[in-house]
């Protein structure tokens, strides 16, 4: 079973990956690319994306298997990541 700390880590990693992609003019990232780049199991990726979508931070297009086909930051997600960057400084992690 995934711990709360792991779930939060997965969510942050997804947000950072999508924010980085947006900065490189790739507003949408495929679920397969997220899974591969972050090395997340399907269940954990799906749960993290569902949580972030429910919070209004990302938008997700789902496959028929309930896994993300594509994901992108919402306007609120962009603002959230910009605030995080301002607070922690560019290139810094927690």
């Amino acid at each position: 079973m995934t711990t709360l700390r792991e779930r939060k880590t997965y969510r942050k990693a997804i947000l950072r990956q999508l924010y980085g992609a947006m900065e490189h003019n790739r507003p949408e990232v495929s679920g397969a690319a997220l899974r591969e780049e972050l090395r997340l199991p399907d269940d954990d990726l799906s749960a993290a994306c569902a949580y972030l979508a429910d919070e209004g931070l990302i938008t997700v297009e789902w496959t028929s298997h309930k896994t993300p086909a594509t994901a992108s930051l919402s306007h609120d997600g962009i603002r959230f990541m910009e605030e995080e960057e301002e607070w922690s400084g560019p290139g810094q992690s927690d």
Side-chain angles (χ1 to χ4, degrees):
M1 177 173 233
T2 309
T3 66
L4 176 60
R5 175 174 281 218
E6 289 170 323
R7 290 191 305 268
K8 286 183 174 184
T9 299
Y10 297 158
R11 294 173 199 154
K12 284 182 182 181
I14 290 167
L15 288 172
R16 286 184 184 131
Q17 195 72 24
L18 294 176
Y19 189 59
M22 184 202 68
E23 289 179 334
H24 292 96
N25 292 323
R26 290 183 7 216
E28 282 190 348
V29 176
S30 74
L34 280 175
R35 185 174 31 262
E36 182 178 312
E37 291 168 11
L38 300 175
R39 295 188 171 120
L40 291 177
D42 281 337
D43 290 344
D44 292 330
L45 177 65
S46 296
C49 285
Y51 179 92
L52 293 168
D54 287 347
E55 291 295 311
L57 298 174
I58 69 172
T59 57
V60 181
E61 294 292 325
W62 298 97
T63 68
S64 59
H65 303 295
K66 303 293 185 206
T67 59
T70 61
S72 59
L73 285 177
S74 67
H75 179 71
D76 286 342
I78 293 167
R79 287 182 29 219
F80 176 82
M81 291 305 294
E82 288 173 346
E83 288 173 13
E84 286 282 310
E85 186 175 344
E86 285 178 357
W87 186 77
S88 65
Q92 295 181 3
S93 59
D94 327 76

